[in-house]
Amino acid sequence: MAYRLVQSLQNARTALAVACVVAGMGWGALSAQAAEEPPMPMSAPRIQVDNSEMGSIVRQVVFQGNQRIEPETIRSYLLVQEGDPFNPERIDRSLKSLFATGLFADVSIKREGASLIVKVVENPIINRIQLEGNRRVKDDTLMPELQMKPRTVYTRTKVQADVKRILDIYRRQGRFAATVEPKVIQLEQNRVDLVYEIDEGKRTGVKRITFVGNKQYSDSTLREALQTKEERWWRFFSSDDNYDPDRVTYDRELLRRFYMKRGYADFRVVSAQAELSPTQDEFFITFNIEEGERYKVSKIDVDIALPQLKKQDVLDTVQFSKGDWYNANKVEDSVQKITDLVGTKGYAFGEVRPRIERNKEKRTLDITFDVQEGPRVFVERIDITGNVRTLDKVVRREFRLVEGDAFNTAKLRRSRQRLQDLGFFEKVEVNNVPSEDYPDRTIVKVDVQEKSTGELSFGIGYSTTAGAMFEIGVRERNLLGKGQDLLAKASLGQKSTRFDLSFTEPYFLNRDVAAGFDLFHKTTDLKKASSYKQTDTGGGLRLGYNLTENLSQTLRYGFKQSKVEDVSTNASRYVKEQEGISTTSAISQSLLYDRRDSKLNPTDGYFGRLSNDLAGLGGTERFLRSEVDAGYYYPLAEEWTMIINGHTGYIVGIGKDVRITDRYFIGGETIRGFAQAGLSPRDKATQDALGSNWFAAGSAEVVFPLGLPNEYGIQGKLFTDVGTVGDGDDGDSTTINGSNMVRTSVGFGVNWKSPLGPMSLDFGFPITKESFDETEVFRFNFGTRF
């Protein structure tokens, strides 16, 4: 009696537990289903088990409701098969496993006798996906971001994820008021059309940027340091005045760099808050900052653990001095210079770390560069992301490191600079992270953001000798994403017409050799300057390669036909002697040593170039021409750069005189304030410019900000140019006006990186000149890119 009572209680307790578990499972699944808005009515998953026969064996598994999905596929997700006992826990796990596949909108499992009935409602197949209401962002931008595709299984989870992706795209474009509502249109054969109804809303701009805690610098000064800008009518070409949370995060780093560069070593951004206006079309951003104290450098020292390094050699590479205001950028530059020095001494794993000790009372910093031999780390692989058009090999071939090399920080920085110098990318980020599998290996991660490499250039100008000119050119510097350079240009003017076509393959035959060709046709009306017209037609082949990291050489063969025609009847006799056709077959070489910090926008460093041309291997002309030009860039202060350039050339005939078509006529861009060919020996009787066999020119220029916001891209410049030419090679002083007196000019101008392209205005005023020189005060150039 007692035994039967206990057994009954145990059976009841077990039945109650099973019922609670099953009810709990069903209620959890039902709650999960109710949390999402279903596209169509559907029931919650169900499990039905007859507890009276709970311990019996499953004799048969029956599948119901499946149309596309094979029974064996469903069976593979079940944890209860024929011959297994009925187990509510395993049945419940089977239910969850079937739902996790994403193939079914509803699943129920029940027992009928010795059979287990699995009834499913399959998710529909997507027939078509349609976007509606998107005017600002096109389908080509949104569609690739969607996980859902036609002819795939519809799931609500993926639809909600796609909605989030679409909203993220709109938010990156400054439209936080955008909304997306998915709609499902049911079709026959369990198919649906999926429509995303998009309300783009108004553009969410940045109305105001304010700062709290800034004492040393005004709000307007700090705004210039940020990439995010306030809304202004002239920023229709830029998206920087749209709110972007990622950009605001980057602005925090820009603020830190701004202060750390100026000695505020304790600076920090406490918070950056963005408040959306009630109308949801404007943001108000507030940066709460702590400036801290400004520090000077009181001591510079090095701690060297490498025997071949001398302390003084390391100190000589430091980019700042004792008593200077602390500058985090110069500390980083010093680390790079010391790392480069360590590498030249044969230490592939050299490591340089700056140790900084603060004296808050004296507001000074002691900086010690700790030079040690770091851990032996090798490059496991190089991962490249962000290059949509540009091929991976174009990026990889600029790297000074390859997989398996000893990791070197200096080479990594140099690789980054080479990628930036390509001009293919708006942004280049190169970092390294430890390998997950090997402690002695590192993974180099390259993230690039491509920019338009096509250029449509226009040039407009006027000079007293050439008259009005118009130039148009089309160029693609990254043809087919292979890094190839193709240029077609035409220049039309009152006195000159020129057509050019050139092509460059930067890695010919997969080697670090740049090969290309040039074709040109040029007609120049020199009637006013020299009483004749000149037509040049020709082309050339060229080959360039690097001798060292900074030294390169270019070899070239060129053939040119020159025609002097339409000579005026009252022209100089020296010009009349040149009438006719000549051909020039020449080989050339150019040797370039370049230590500039950037080839595109240099602000520091120098370069030197030596060029030689030898004509006479065929053709009618025989001469040797040599030219040397050099430039030096020195940063005077922040955004102030001094540029010093020099250029000289000399040509000598081999067994015959040099024709007028190969001589030097300088002025214009060479020496501002003088017209093109404005500096040249001239016939006394006719004033025809005859050209010279040598020249020398130089300039000193200072480029500086004008106090306008940096985003305008407007800089001022002051310059002085000097130059001289030979005093004549055709006759004597009785018939030719010639002088090798040094001419000078001064002037000012403006450079503008406009949204349509670079523009420059120059005003040059001659200081010393000869009476027979041709002058020109104003020059204007304009270009645009797409």
Side-chain angles (χ1 to χ4, degrees):
M1 177 76 177
Y3 173 78
R4 287 196 300 270
L5 178 60
V6 171
Q7 184 67 34
S8 300
L9 289 174
Q10 287 178 346
N11 292 340
R13 184 172 55 189
T14 302
L16 179 60
V18 171
C20 291
V21 169
V22 173
M25 298 298 181
W27 177 255
L30 180 60
S31 300
Q33 293 293 314
E36 298 178 325
E37 179 184 352
M40 57 187 71
M42 52 187 74
S43 59
R46 298 177 298 279
I47 304 175
Q48 297 181 10
V49 180
D50 186 353
N51 295 325
S52 64
E53 302 182 24
M54 185 177 59
S56 60
I57 302 301
V58 177
R59 301 299 180 187
Q60 184 183 16
V61 179
V62 179
F63 301 99
Q64 297 178 355
N66 55 310
Q67 300 175 14
R68 303 183 314 273
I69 303 172
E70 296 294 330
E72 291 305 316
T73 301
I74 303 176
R75 188 188 303 276
S76 67
Y77 293 100
L78 296 179
L79 301 180
V80 179
Q81 306 292 340
E82 287 91 343
D84 294 341
F86 284 95
N87 187 314
E89 181 182 355
R90 295 177 69 85
I91 291 175
D92 179 66
R93 288 167 58 191
S94 299
L95 181 78
K96 293 179 179 179
S97 179
L98 287 172
F99 261 104
T101 63
L103 299 173
F104 308 106
D106 190 23
V107 179
S108 66
I109 301 178
K110 68 178 181 178
R111 177 179 178 179
E112 292 183 358
S115 299
L116 187 67
I117 309 300
V118 181
K119 187 175 182 180
V120 298
V121 176
E122 294 178 348
N123 269 325
I125 293 294
I126 296 177
N127 175 63
R128 184 181 59 170
I129 297 178
Q130 185 72 30
L131 300 173
E132 294 182 356
N134 56 312
R135 296 185 300 275
R136 301 289 181 178
V137 184
K138 302 303 180 184
D139 289 6
D140 293 343
T141 301
L142 295 176
M143 282 295 189
E145 297 293 328
L146 302 181
Q147 295 183 43
M148 304 294 291
K149 306 292 182 184
R151 297 181 297 279
T152 60
V153 177
Y154 169 91
T155 65
R156 285 168 296 197
T157 302
K158 289 184 178 180
V159 169
Q160 294 304 319
D162 285 346
V163 169
K164 184 178 182 302
R165 286 172 180 265
I166 295 173
L167 290 175
D168 287 344
I169 293 174
Y170 274 97
R171 286 172 180 173
R172 286 198 296 267
Q173 299 198 8
R175 294 184 178 273
F176 278 76
T179 59
V180 180
E181 185 176 356
K183 298 290 185 181
V184 176
I185 302 174
Q186 298 186 35
L187 306 174
E188 69 278 359
Q189 299 178 352
N190 200 25
R191 295 178 302 126
V192 295
D193 284 345
L194 180 59
V195 180
Y196 292 97
E197 294 183 354
I198 301 173
D199 182 0
E200 296 182 317
K202 295 181 180 180
R203 187 175 67 91
T204 313
V206 177
K207 181 66 174 180
R208 186 171 64 249
I209 301 175
T210 56
F211 300 86
V212 177
N214 54 313
K215 300 177 181 177
Q216 302 298 326
Y217 298 97
S218 65
D219 284 13
S220 59
T221 301
L222 295 180
R223 290 190 194 105
E224 289 299 317
L226 304 181
Q227 184 176 351
T228 303
K229 304 299 180 182
E230 294 180 343
E231 280 186 312
R232 295 293 184 269
W233 65 268
W234 60 78
R235 295 196 175 105
F236 51 86
F237 283 108
S238 172
S239 61
D240 288 345
D241 57 347
N242 295 342
Y243 175 72
D244 185 342
D246 294 334
R247 189 187 297 131
V248 173
T249 301
Y250 180 58
D251 288 334
R252 295 170 65 109
E253 175 62 17
L254 292 178
L255 279 174
R256 189 191 71 84
R257 294 178 186 177
F258 177 87
Y259 275 93
M260 296 289 280
K261 185 178 179 180
R262 290 160 175 79
Y264 294 89
D266 297 330
F267 172 82
R268 71 186 188 100
V269 178
V270 179
S271 65
Q273 298 177 345
E275 298 180 9
L276 185 62
S277 67
T279 57
Q280 294 191 336
D281 60 353
E282 293 176 335
F283 267 97
F284 300 87
I285 302 176
T286 302
F287 290 93
N288 190 352
I289 64 176
E290 290 183 2
E291 292 180 325
E293 300 294 339
R294 194 179 187 190
Y295 291 83
K296 282 189 174 183
V297 178
S298 61
K299 180 182 178 182
I300 302 174
D301 199 2
V302 294
D303 187 1
I304 304 175
L306 304 178
Q308 296 184 18
L309 283 181
K310 296 181 179 179
K311 181 175 181 179
Q312 190 57 46
D313 292 341
V314 177
L315 288 174
D316 289 342
T317 63
V318 176
Q319 302 296 297
F320 54 91
S321 304
K322 179 181 177 181
D324 291 350
W325 291 108
Y326 170 73
N327 187 326
N329 290 357
K330 290 186 177 181
V331 173
E332 292 180 7
D333 292 342
S334 300
V335 170
Q336 181 175 349
K337 295 288 186 182
I338 298 173
T339 304
D340 293 343
L341 177 63
V342 171
T344 61
K345 298 298 183 180
Y347 295 98
F349 302 96
E351 186 176 29
V352 181
R353 293 183 179 178
R355 295 199 311 264
I356 300 177
E357 298 180 3
R358 288 177 173 82
N359 187 328
K360 293 189 176 182
E361 294 180 357
K362 297 182 179 180
R363 299 177 187 176
T364 59
L365 298 176
D366 294 343
I367 301 178
T368 302
F369 293 96
D370 191 6
V371 184
Q372 307 286 337
E373 186 167 10
R376 300 179 67 85
V377 179
F378 298 87
V379 178
E380 179 179 343
R381 68 177 188 270
I382 299 175
D383 295 338
I384 304 170
T385 58
N387 53 320
V388 179
R389 288 184 59 238
T390 307
L391 302 180
D392 273 11
K393 67 177 184 180
V394 174
V395 178
R396 290 182 182 276
R397 67 196 184 194
E398 298 300 326
F399 263 76
R400 303 296 90 184
L401 294 168
V402 297
E403 283 86 348
D405 280 357
F407 178 75
N408 186 292
T409 304
K411 289 184 177 181
L412 193 69
R413 293 193 184 100
R414 177 59 181 162
S415 301
R416 179 179 181 272
Q417 185 62 55
R418 287 173 61 90
L419 284 175
Q420 289 179 323
D421 287 343
L422 288 176
F424 300 164
F425 307 112
E426 190 75 36
K427 180 188 70 173
V428 177
E429 292 185 0
V430 180
N431 301 296
N432 63 292
V433 297
S435 171
E436 297 179 357
D437 302 323
Y438 304 97
D440 63 341
R441 299 184 186 180
T442 187
I443 300 172
V444 176
K445 292 186 175 293
V446 184
D447 184 22
V448 298
Q449 180 181 334
E450 293 180 322
K451 66 179 180 181
S452 297
T453 54
E455 299 178 6
L456 176 62
S457 61
F458 295 92
I460 303 174
Y462 179 84
S463 73
T464 56
T465 54
M469 297 179 295
F470 175 75
E471 180 181 284
I472 181 171
V474 178
R475 183 181 183 185
E476 174 53 63
R477 295 178 290 109
N478 189 14
L479 186 65
L480 302 177
K482 298 180 179 180
Q484 298 168 338
D485 192 338
L486 179 64
L487 169 68
K489 184 170 65 174
S491 177
L492 307 175
Q494 291 177 301
K495 305 293 181 66
S496 178
T497 300
R498 182 180 178 115
F499 300 93
D500 291 276
L501 177 66
S502 69
F503 174 79
T504 302
E505 167 55 64
Y507 272 73
F508 185 60
L509 299 178
N510 292 323
R511 296 181 179 273
D512 193 6
V513 175
F517 68 85
D518 304 283
L519 300 174
F520 64 89
H521 176 80
K522 180 181 180 181
T523 301
T524 307
D525 186 351
L526 298 171
K527 299 282 286 186
K528 184 175 181 180
S530 302
S531 300
Y532 69 93
K533 289 185 179 180
Q534 178 178 332
T535 302
D536 296 319
T537 304
L541 301 175
R542 48 189 159 76
L543 201 68
Y545 49 88
N546 290 327
L547 298 172
T548 66
E549 184 67 30
N550 304 109
L551 182 64
S552 62
Q553 186 174 35
T554 301
L555 303 178
R556 186 180 187 275
Y557 169 77
F559 185 86
K560 178 180 71 172
Q561 181 189 75
S562 298
K563 184 178 182 181
V564 176
E565 57 184 342
D566 198 12
V567 179
S568 301
T569 56
N570 59 346
S572 168
R573 65 181 179 87
Y574 303 111
V575 174
K576 291 181 179 180
E577 292 172 357
Q578 307 290 320
E579 190 170 13
I581 296 176
S582 64
T583 55
T584 303
S585 175
I587 57 172
S588 310
Q589 80 83 31
S590 177
L591 203 61
L592 171 65
Y593 187 73
D594 194 347
R595 295 302 300 265
R596 291 173 293 181
D597 59 346
S598 171
K599 293 181 180 179
L600 301 179
N601 297 298
T603 59
D604 193 6
Y606 59 91
F607 76 92
R609 182 186 294 109
L610 170 65
S611 302
N612 304 100
D613 304 306
L614 177 62
L617 304 177
T620 61
E621 302 308 302
R622 294 187 298 275
F623 59 79
L624 175 64
R625 175 167 49 208
S626 298
E627 294 185 11
V628 176
D629 64 302
Y632 177 71
Y633 299 80
Y634 182 77
L636 298 173
E638 186 176 3
E639 298 181 12
W640 287 67
T641 304
M642 181 175 66
I643 306 171
I644 299 176
N645 286 314
H647 191 188
T648 183
Y650 182 79
I651 184 172
V652 57
I654 302 176
K656 61 186 305 184
D657 292 335
V658 178
R659 282 176 60 86
I660 192 172
T661 54
D662 295 313
R663 294 176 185 168
Y664 294 111
F665 298 82
I666 65 173
E669 293 293 333
T670 310
I671 302 180
R672 288 160 288 192
F674 294 85
Q676 192 70 32
L679 271 66
S680 170
R682 299 178 181 275
D683 188 297
K684 286 186 175 181
T686 64
Q687 293 302 307
D688 289 336
L690 305 178
S692 176
N693 284 5
W694 65 270
F695 83 100
S699 69
E701 181 174 303
V702 176
V703 180
F704 55 90
L706 292 175
L708 300 172
N710 291 336
E711 61 186 298
Y712 291 176
I714 300 178
Q715 292 181 309
K717 57 183 175 181
L718 298 173
F719 60 83
T720 177
D721 294 344
V722 298
T724 182
V725 295
D727 57 4
D729 303 282
D730 289 305
D732 52 40
S733 58
T734 61
T735 59
I736 295 178
N737 275 327
S739 172
N740 55 17
M741 181 188 77
V742 175
R743 280 77 155 183
T744 60
S745 67
V746 296
F748 62 91
V750 173
N751 294 333
W752 181 27
K753 295 179 181 178
S754 74
L756 298 177
M759 298 184 184
S760 66
L761 287 79
D762 291 320
F763 295 86
F765 306 94
I767 302 300
T768 60
K769 66 182 185 69
E770 292 288 359
S771 59
F772 51 85
D773 293 336
E774 296 285 345
T775 61
E776 173 187 81
V777 174
F778 173 71
R779 289 188 69 85
F780 170 71
N781 288 297
F782 166 72
T784 187
R785 294 181 176 182
F786 65 88

